[in-house]
Amino acid sequence: MGKTKTKNQKKARVNAAHVAQEDYSTVPHSFVFHRGQIGKNVAQLVQDMRRVMEPFTAESLKVRKKNVLKDFVAVAGPLGITHFLVFTKTPSSINMRLARLPKGPMLHFRVVKYSLVKDVVSSLKKHRMHQHQFSHHPLLVLNNFGVEGLQVKLMATMFQNMFPSINVHKVNLNSIKRCVLVNYDPLSQEVDFRHYSVKVVPVGMSRGVKKLMQERFPNMSKLDDISELLLKGANLSESEAEQDGEHNITELPQVYSGRGNMRSQQSAVRLTEIGPRMTLRLVKIEEGMGEGSILYHAIISKTEEELQEILIRKEAELKRKEERKRKQEQNVAQKKEKREENRKKSLAGIKRKQQDQAGETDDSEVEDPGMQEGQPAAEHSEDEADYYRQAVGEEPDEDMFSTSQRKRGPGRPPRPFKKRKLSSGRSPARDGTSKPGKESKGPRPQARRPQARGPRPRGPGQGPRAGGRAPTGKGARRFGEEGEGGGRGGRDRRANPGPA
């Protein structure tokens, strides 16, 4: 069972996480993606450039065909993205756009030639590339960017801002595992982009000692003494492709990872190219995110009059755009006011309708002023009977208008009474077609079937009355003996009641 962390350890971890979050938010972040149709090789070049920009880039950025540049700009703000690297392909060339968010500028490059990571690695006898190298950002090295020209200085500034800056007095050397070299050629006006892996090895010792320090024991079967191995290093091959010299030997200010790399000792810095490799040429520099004026163009040059004309035309277009926007806002405001007015009218109408309904309900619930307290309810029944005679033209039934009036809910009209149809000589409670207390609609007509067991009894003395109950027990047996149809005929008569 592990030990529990103390209060100070927990506080130190929280502070370290907070500092790391602040440092992470201050460094530049980038999106590397493509637009339009590109080939398989250009798609692989985009993936290789994402590896170069790690760890401060979107490794698994998904791009859809319907996405536009504004979509990426809208997403970049909350995520803290500062740079875009956009690759496009035309029938004649491959282009790369480098943009600074959120207001530009945007640099347009033409990719003159390029090599993928797999091409560079396959050309080496021994390459050095592992996953731990990409956990830290690369070290940026600029060369020959001090020449005259505004476009050159702007290029240098853009490349510098793409990668996190370092403090040479506080930097940890063990975090420098990769190097990005950007070289500008003033004659051809091309930019060489290279990506290297950094390795530091000790110097001032024989190859045999290096092998022993690296725990790689050589074959000493042909040696007479171990001193021959330490002094001469016989029968050992030099695997390094680069010879050490004054150009790459330095004194380490810190302890560097690797056997023999001690502080204040001389070590050699060796670079191994891991790709990708690109040769770029600047085409133009544009203000904003692809919507501003052209600051520099390598092919087309304009005079001062043409630039003034373009500026005037651009200002007029901006004014028209502002006018359209203002008019659109006015139309939206008018529609909103009209919608609010219609809503108020609708609410007023609904309220007025509810008040009218409430007034009708109150009138219906108020007692008739013409009715006196001692006036019997039979007079109202007579009035209703008279109204029925005038409206229908027939005499109402005796029990249609009762003296006790049913209470109805507020706002509901009185339900009309249904006329009951009573059969002659038959009680509504015993004919089997209605229940007591409910209105009877009369028996349903049924087809008669001939009885196989005997004719039906005729006459009042040969069976029970229609709708009555059949006798049970001894009476049932006596009835079966006296009747012509027997007991079964009695059951048939109950099932199919008919006129006596």
Side-chain angles (χ1 to χ4, degrees):
M1 186 174 180
K3 296 181 180 180
T4 59
K5 294 181 176 59
T6 62
K7 185 177 180 180
N8 293 334
Q9 289 177 339
K10 293 180 180 179
K11 186 180 295 184
R13 174 169 291 187
V14 171
N15 294 336
H18 182 67
V19 172
Q21 182 66 24
E22 289 183 352
D23 295 341
Y24 186 83
S25 60
T26 55
V27 298
H29 295 72
S30 61
F31 273 172
V32 183
F33 56 96
H34 68 275
R35 304 304 303 136
Q37 294 291 335
I38 59 174
K40 180 180 179 181
N41 294 331
V42 180
Q44 186 61 41
L45 178 61
V46 172
Q47 296 296 329
D48 294 344
M49 284 301 298
R50 289 183 182 178
R51 295 282 288 176
V52 174
M53 303 303 296
E54 286 185 9
F56 303 115
T57 187
E59 302 177 8
S60 303
L61 180 63
K62 302 298 181 181
V63 181
R64 298 180 180 179
K65 294 182 179 179
K66 62 181 181 180
N67 291 134
V68 295
L69 191 60
K70 291 184 179 180
D71 299 337
F72 296 96
V73 174
V75 175
L79 298 179
I81 303 300
T82 58
H83 290 80
F84 281 173
L85 275 80
V86 187
F87 287 86
T88 57
K89 183 179 180 181
T90 62
S92 59
S93 63
I94 299 174
N95 302 321
M96 185 189 78
R97 288 178 290 174
L98 177 59
R100 180 71 166 89
L101 295 177
K103 297 182 180 181
M106 178 177 288
L107 277 65
H108 295 252
F109 292 95
R110 177 176 295 176
V111 182
V112 180
K113 51 186 177 180
Y114 68 95
S115 298
L116 302 177
V117 172
K118 59 180 182 180
D119 300 330
V120 175
V121 171
S122 62
S123 63
L124 299 175
K125 292 183 179 180
K126 184 179 180 181
H127 66 86
R128 293 190 69 259
M129 185 169 59
H130 49 83
Q131 186 62 30
H132 183 65
Q133 290 177 333
F134 299 95
S135 61
H136 301 280
H137 64 88
L139 177 66
L140 178 64
V141 179
L142 300 178
N143 188 35
N144 287 338
F145 279 92
V147 297
E148 296 295 333
L150 179 62
Q151 69 277 9
V152 179
K153 295 181 180 179
L154 186 57
M155 274 195 300
T157 304
M158 288 290 291
F159 284 122
Q160 284 178 352
N161 295 333
M162 282 176 56
F163 299 94
S165 60
I166 61 173
N167 189 348
V168 294
H169 301 288
K170 297 181 180 180
V171 65
N172 185 11
L173 296 182
N174 290 317
S175 63
I176 301 177
K177 300 294 182 180
R178 294 180 296 136
C179 174
V180 172
L181 174 63
V182 182
N183 178 55
Y184 178 73
D185 189 358
L187 298 179
S188 60
Q189 295 184 354
E190 293 179 352
V191 179
D192 296 328
F193 185 91
R194 299 291 186 269
H195 187 209
Y196 295 96
S197 173
V198 179
K199 180 182 178 181
V200 179
V201 296
V203 296
M205 60 182 67
S206 62
R207 288 176 292 174
V209 176
K210 293 179 183 178
K211 297 291 183 181
L212 292 176
M213 295 185 64
Q214 297 174 0
E215 297 182 358
R216 297 166 57 187
F217 299 100
N219 185 10
M220 296 184 295
S221 60
K222 297 182 181 181
L223 301 178
D224 298 334
D225 192 358
I226 193 174
S227 61
E228 297 180 6
L229 174 65
L230 300 177
L231 296 177
K232 299 180 181 180
N235 298 327
L236 296 177
S237 61
E238 182 64 46
S239 60
E240 292 82 8
E242 181 182 2
Q243 297 294 329
D244 298 334
E246 296 181 355
H247 62 283
N248 66 332
I249 294 178
T250 183
E251 183 176 340
L252 294 178
Q254 300 176 8
V255 178
Y256 195 82
S257 60
R259 296 182 180 274
N261 294 321
M262 304 300 294
R263 182 178 180 180
S264 301
Q265 298 292 331
Q266 288 188 346
S267 298
V269 180
R270 296 176 182 176
L271 302 179
T272 304
E273 189 173 4
I274 57 178
R277 179 189 302 174
M278 290 190 300
T279 301
L280 308 174
R281 180 178 297 168
L282 182 64
V283 177
K284 65 178 179 179
I285 301 175
E286 191 175 4
E287 283 184 344
M289 297 300 295
E291 299 177 352
S293 60
I294 305 300
L295 300 178
Y296 168 81
H297 205 291
I299 301 174
I300 302 174
S301 59
K302 297 183 179 295
T303 61
E304 291 294 334
E305 292 78 7
E306 293 176 345
L307 293 176
Q308 290 294 333
E309 184 180 356
I310 292 173
L311 183 60
I312 293 173
R313 187 165 60 249
K314 190 70 175 179
E315 290 179 354
E317 184 179 354
L318 291 176
K319 288 182 180 180
R320 288 194 299 269
K321 186 176 180 180
E322 291 294 333
E323 182 67 22
R324 289 194 302 268
K325 187 176 180 180
R326 185 181 59 81
K327 189 175 181 180
Q328 185 178 9
E329 290 177 354
Q330 291 180 356
N331 295 336
V332 171
Q334 291 177 0
K335 290 181 179 179
K336 189 175 180 180
E337 293 178 358
K338 189 175 181 180
R339 192 183 302 114
E340 186 68 20
E341 184 179 356
N342 293 337
R343 188 180 68 86
K344 291 180 179 179
K345 290 182 179 180
S346 178
L347 292 176
I350 293 173
K351 187 175 181 181
R352 185 169 57 254
K353 185 176 180 181
Q354 292 178 353
Q355 291 177 355
D356 295 343
Q357 292 180 356
E360 292 177 359
T361 305
D362 296 340
D363 294 341
S364 63
E365 292 179 354
V366 173
E367 188 178 0
D368 188 3
M371 180 179 178
Q372 303 297 331
E373 294 182 358
Q375 185 178 2
E379 298 181 2
H380 295 280
S381 300
E382 294 176 0
D383 296 340
E384 293 177 357
D386 296 338
Y387 178 76
Y388 181 84
R389 294 188 191 97
Q390 296 176 5
V392 181
E394 297 179 359
E395 288 293 332
D397 293 341
E398 296 179 358
D399 55 349
M400 180 176 293
F401 302 105
S402 59
T403 57
S404 60
Q405 300 293 331
R406 297 183 180 180
K407 294 183 179 180
R408 305 294 297 171
R412 297 178 59 184
R415 186 171 58 185
F417 292 93
K418 295 183 180 180
K419 184 177 180 181
R420 290 192 302 174
K421 297 180 180 180
L422 300 178
S423 300
S424 60
R426 186 176 303 166
S427 175
R430 294 188 178 185
D431 58 356
T433 59
S434 63
K435 295 182 180 180
K438 293 189 177 181
E439 299 170 356
S440 174
K441 296 183 180 180
R444 296 182 181 179
Q446 297 183 1
R448 295 183 178 181
R449 293 182 297 176
Q451 301 294 333
R453 298 185 182 274
R456 292 187 177 184
R458 301 178 182 273
Q462 297 180 0
R465 288 189 306 174
R469 295 184 179 180
T472 59
K474 295 181 179 180
R477 289 194 298 270
R478 192 180 304 112
F479 171 73
E481 293 174 359
E482 294 178 358
E484 296 180 2
R488 295 183 181 273
R491 285 193 293 271
D492 293 339
R493 285 193 296 273
R494 287 196 305 271
N496 299 307

